[in-house]
Amino acid sequence: FAFALQYISFFIFSLIYGVFIHKGKRAHEYSIVIALLAAAGALFFLGYINSFLGLIILLIVVGGSGGILESVSSTLISAYESFNSSRFLNLSQFFYCIGAMLSPAITALLFYWNFSITHLGIILAIFIALIAITVLMLISTNTGTSFAVKNREERANPNTIQQTLKSPKRKFIWYLLAMFMYVVAESSLASWIPLFFEKGKQFSLGNAALILTFFWLGLALSRLYYSFV
């Protein structure tokens, strides 16, 4: 239930920010920094939460931050070079999978070294805060082209969106349904795999987390392949 709220928060914030961008508002780079710092602040207190309500609040903050990051990053990557936008988006998802692949392996290693959940939360918070600082430095030193969507013509026109929904409406709905089923399958497997091996096969928590690495490895390789096809 708690992790479902995280995904709901992700969905709501990504939807709100997507509408915000499509209405002509500037895709501000600083939103990425704010979202990263919010996630870092929430994860810092991961090991200090002693109530279910606190866990829910933390996951809502993390999910909302992730929704903003996904919306902003996808928009900026698509606007960077429209001709190669699909390739760049696939490459961005490849690196997403690399991070998701390394995460359970690093978590397993920390558990082997007897790190606690509190230590893990602090390490994650510091790591994400360093990313936020790096992004802020890139923004500050960016003297040429802005990361933001530069021209009104490059932004999604509401009329274009309506035409996309109305003209090939049936095909577009099938695309949405396919994406929905894909995300359900991916999220279910990513959540179920470590739990299955820990509870069903009596694996240690570290080994159960490590197995998830191979799932993300397969996704990473497939997305890398389709980035160059």
Side-chain angles (χ1 to χ4, degrees):
F1 174 75
F3 285 101
L5 286 178
Q6 177 187 354
Y7 287 112
I8 291 172
S9 177
F10 183 102
F11 168 75
I12 292 174
F13 276 83
S14 60
L15 182 63
I16 292 174
Y17 208 90
V19 172
F20 179 80
I21 292 173
H22 289 318
K23 284 190 174 181
K25 304 296 182 181
R26 188 180 177 193
H28 218 285
E29 310 93 60
Y30 291 103
S31 300
I32 300 176
V33 179
I34 294 172
L36 285 168
L37 291 177
L43 289 171
F44 182 85
F45 295 100
L46 178 64
Y48 300 99
I49 293 175
N50 52 16
S51 68
F52 186 65
L53 178 60
L55 178 63
I56 288 176
I57 295 173
L58 182 145
L59 291 176
I60 288 175
V61 173
V62 172
S65 301
I68 293 174
L69 286 170
E70 187 77 17
S71 297
V72 177
S73 59
S74 298
T75 302
L76 297 182
I77 291 170
S78 298
Y80 179 72
E81 188 177 338
S82 58
F83 180 75
N84 287 316
S85 61
S86 59
R87 175 173 295 180
F88 288 146
L89 283 172
N90 265 326
L91 280 174
S92 71
Q93 290 299 309
F94 164 73
F95 286 104
Y96 172 87
C97 289
I98 292 296
M101 181 183 71
L102 293 176
S103 176
I106 295 172
T107 301
L109 185 62
L110 292 175
F111 280 136
Y112 283 137
W113 289 343
N114 295 319
F115 277 71
S116 66
I117 295 295
T118 303
H119 294 142
L120 184 61
I122 293 173
I123 291 172
L124 285 172
I126 294 173
F127 183 73
I128 295 174
L130 289 175
I131 296 175
I133 293 171
T134 303
V135 173
L136 186 60
M137 291 174 62
L138 287 172
I139 295 172
S140 301
T141 57
N142 183 34
T143 56
T145 304
S146 175
F147 288 133
V149 180
K150 295 179 287 300
N151 299 319
R152 184 177 297 273
E153 293 77 10
E154 293 177 342
R155 289 196 291 261
N157 190 325
N159 294 328
T160 304
I161 297 172
Q162 291 175 4
Q163 291 173 4
T164 304
L165 289 171
K166 290 179 179 179
S167 180
K169 187 174 182 180
R170 187 173 299 176
K171 181 184 290 187
F172 186 74
I173 291 175
W174 279 112
Y175 284 147
L176 292 180
L177 289 174
M179 179 61 70
F180 172 78
M181 296 305 298
Y182 160 72
V183 173
V184 168
E186 179 184 302
S187 301
S188 299
L189 282 172
S191 302
W192 176 76
I193 286 174
L195 183 63
F196 169 76
F197 281 97
E198 181 191 2
K199 303 296 183 182
K201 299 298 182 180
Q202 285 73 50
F203 278 40
S204 67
L205 185 60
N207 285 336
L210 188 60
I211 289 175
L212 190 59
T213 298
F214 296 99
F215 170 76
W216 290 111
L217 175 62
L219 281 176
L221 293 177
S222 63
R223 287 173 178 174
L224 179 64
Y225 171 76
Y226 279 104
S227 297
F228 297 97
V229 171

